[in-house]
Amino acid sequence: MAKTLFDKIWDKHVVKQIKGGPSVLYIDKHFIHEVTSPQAFTGLNKRGKKVFRPAQVVATADHNVPTLNQHLPIKEELSRLQVDALKKNCSEHGIELYGLGHPFQGIVHVIGPELGFTQPGMTIVCGDSHTSTHGAFGSIAFGIGTSEVEMALATQCVLQTKPKLMRITIEGELNKGVVSKDIILYIISKISASGATGYFVEYAGSAIRSLSMEARMTVCNMSIEMGARGGLIAPDEKTFEYVNGRLFAPKHEQWEKKVEEWTALYSDADATFDKEININAADIEPMITYGTNPGMGVSVNGNIPSLEQVEENEKNSFKKSLDYMGLQPGSKIKGKEVDYVFIGSCTNSRIEDLRMVASFVKGKRKAENVEVWVVPGSKQVERQAIEEGIDKVFEAAGFQLRQPGCSACLGMNEDKIPAGKYCISTSNRNFEGRQGPNARTFLASPLTAALAAITGTVGDVREFINEY
Amino acid sequence: MSKNITIVRSTCVPIQIENVDTDQIIPARFLKSTTREGFGKNLFRDWRYYDNDESKPKKEFALNNPTYSGSILVAAKNFGCGSSREHAAWAIKDYGFDVVVSSFFADIFKSNALNNFLLPVRVSEEFLQEIFSAVQLDPSTEVEVNLEEETIRLGASGEKVHFDINPYKKECLLNGYDDIDYLLSIMNEIEQFEYNTR
């Protein structure tokens, strides 16, 4: 029988099907971080249980770590306590921790692929909704709550009901200035912040295949922002090439064997999906959000919808959202001034993102009134950026290159956008207060963010470049 | 925290806002605890207070409006979207809610709620609007949720409307079982699976 990519991986990991209930799904890799794991360890300790397969668990500290002076003790007491608790829990349960100060430390969804933990065909969980990032390798990867973190620690399994499947196919060539972040913002703006709830999404088509691995991660990363449990892309030569040689990737004969297995990971030609969406790559323009959920996005040249364009029972939420943002229905978003630029997060903090920004800003200087923070996704990305001289480009432009962590994506550490200020951000969520109480967020690609850093306003990057 | 749920009959607290994300339910800056308790006081923190100041409540927000009380939270569609933080479910439960009614729940929130004996009840958009209107007209209107029967009814004389719940999860909620106990009880099967697929 014809199978989808998702089915092929799922079926191999079902330990047991509970009658009338969820499946017991075996988990190959479990990533943990300091914020959503402490209560899981407490639960485990209360039950008198040890972590069942510590070698399949990988830990890092990312959510609330400072991005300046990481060599000093964490000033904020509660953050320090969480980071310390992670250290203690990992050491008690024999889990490898890439904590603060470790040369591999970084955002959990950046270091997983970077170290070769993330591989095609795997099941991967983490107490973080952006776990969908790892789906870029052709794996089933999804975010879980803390009770499920405890389950996975105790038994290396979680209980999951098989989701419905959606395929989003994007064919054709991308316009210049359009990058993977624009693709996913475009998709979410079309199907809404809840349009894929209940589904797992496979991204397919020539425009997806043309993307680099890092760009594919950006697309899969934001699957959750349309409600999907996760997103995945069939692995191909690019995937294998990316994984090959990484620290924890299979080696020698093991590698040959794995590649043979991975080559079979694709949706069969006659496999069926519960829902199919087709998109023409040429329709996608550089995107920006104007509201307080990631579905509220338009082309940078577009207008914010007018009240008449909004469904009757959605008008209240729409008005509330625009009030919060201080924007007028029906107005243009281009030319809107910004106060902060944040380049970072598990969506866009990899070396290619930093290179993209650097190549655009090289020789330019940031706008006077704008503060620019660039937060690399990991220590390895940071080192690479310095090796390539990207740090010098940023310094000359007046950008601050900080140290790795989740930073202003969710403002759990000191990196908060002040109340009322506008931040153009390469992160994944524009929710009210996400980047700090009353902060206002425009989500955009690294290129569009780089342009705003230089001009101080939202603009169309295509007017300034001839490539990309 | 009460474990098993059977029948909840209560007045409601209505939040007629769509796409309520977990950053609103419990902002990230309150996730720094290492225990599961005490999140209720920060539930909807930034919608409840001006300038993060408990002496400056936003009077128009439902949680601060003395007209509304009860153990049933009613919210517009796509409730609980965004971050996977289970703290959102902990905060709602800790505040004193046992049931959340909406026309649509985000997936991760729904499983987090169920794992914490907080019952998410999905109703049709029309029925949800009926509840909002009824509660607005008369805040003493009660809603009754019967898990055993899988029904919800508006007012004492309202028609019982069916809601769906996974039979396995229903058993857990009715009996106070938890998924981890279940998984721990099948460790031999998990080890056998590992052996077979090695």
Side-chain angles (χ1 to χ4, degrees), chain A residues 26 53 76 146-147 412, chain B residues 31-32 35 47 86 181 194:
Chain A
Y26 189 81
R53 295 289 180 231
E76 226 266 281
T146 298
S147 296
M412 267 197 88
Chain B
L31 306 186
K32 298 191 183 190
T35 67
W47 284 357
E86 195 162 312
D181 290 332
E194 285 184 324

Side-chain angles (χ1 to χ4, degrees), chain A residues 169-175 186 207 278-285:
Chain A
T169 307
I170 309 170
E171 296 289 355
E173 251 184 72
L174 292 169
N175 290 312
Y186 178 85
N278 290 293
I279 289 170
N280 182 354
D283 293 342
I284 307 174
E285 293 188 79

Side-chain angles (χ1 to χ4, degrees), chain A residues 20-284:
Chain A
S23 306
V24 176
L25 192 70
Y26 189 81
I27 300 304
D28 294 317
K29 278 280 177 310
H30 181 191
F31 295 103
I32 61 171
H33 61 81
E34 77 277 23
V35 176
T36 58
S37 68
Q39 293 88 349
F41 281 105
T42 308
L44 207 60
N45 294 340
K46 266 192 197 154
R47 290 172 205 263
K49 293 284 167 196
K50 287 307 244 185
V51 171
F52 177 50
R53 295 289 180 231
Q56 285 165 247
V57 187
V58 178
T60 190
D62 56 2
H63 275 63
N64 64 29
V65 301
T67 55
L68 293 172
N69 295 316
Q70 286 186 346
H71 62 290
L72 298 177
I74 301 175
K75 273 193 237 154
E76 226 266 281
E77 194 196 348
L78 292 174
S79 299
R80 192 175 66 242
L81 286 176
Q82 270 191 337
V83 171
D84 287 349
L86 181 68
K87 223 183 275 178
K88 181 170 162 283
N89 288 328
C90 287
S91 104
E92 279 177 10
H93 289 268
I95 294 167
E96 192 74 47
L97 168 66
Y98 302 106
L100 211 53
H102 193 285
F104 297 156
Q105 180 266 340
I107 303 175
V108 63
H109 310 308
V110 174
I111 71 165
E114 190 175 74
L115 293 168
F117 286 120
T118 303
Q119 293 164 24
M122 281 183 166
T123 47
I124 298 172
V125 293
C126 173
D128 188 286
S129 58
H130 295 112
T131 307
S132 56
T133 312
H134 307 265
F137 291 80
S139 61
I140 294 182
F142 55 91
I144 55 176
T146 298
S147 296
E148 292 164 311
V149 171
E150 188 179 337
M151 280 174 224
L153 290 174
T155 69
Q156 205 56 37
C157 290
V158 293
L159 293 177
Q160 280 293 305
T161 303
K162 193 174 177 182
K164 290 182 284 183
L165 296 178
M166 180 190 293
R167 178 162 59 187
I168 300 179
T169 307
I170 309 170
E171 296 289 355
E173 251 184 72
L174 292 169
N175 290 312
K176 74 168 186 180
V178 171
V179 293
S180 62
K181 181 65 163 284
D182 300 306
I183 298 178
I184 190 65
L185 285 174
Y186 178 85
I187 295 173
I188 304 168
S189 78
K190 289 291 166 206
I191 76 168
S192 92
S194 59
T197 304
Y199 291 89
F200 224 91
V201 176
E202 180 177 341
Y203 301 96
S206 57
I208 294 293
R209 284 195 300 275
S210 76
L211 299 176
S212 71
M213 284 313 295
E214 294 195 357
R216 292 178 190 183
M217 285 186 241
T218 302
V219 172
C220 289
N221 173 275
M222 288 188 72
S223 304
I224 182 74
E225 308 311 336
M226 49 185 168
R229 280 315 307 263
L232 77 175
I233 296 171
D236 58 12
E237 282 305 320
K238 273 186 201 170
T239 318
F240 308 149
E241 196 185 311
Y242 181 97
V243 177
N244 194 7
R246 293 192 182 260
L247 193 58
F248 295 97
K251 304 268 156 36
H252 314 297
E253 323 69 87
Q254 264 301 315
W255 172 257
E256 304 298 327
K257 195 174 143 240
K258 281 289 178 190
V259 168
E260 201 184 309
E261 266 175 43
W262 297 344
T263 309
L265 294 174
Y266 55 84
S267 288
D268 296 331
D270 43 355
T272 55
F273 290 79
D274 299 293
K275 192 168 182 181
E276 294 249 22
I277 292 177
N278 290 293
I279 289 170
N280 182 354
D283 293 342
I284 307 174

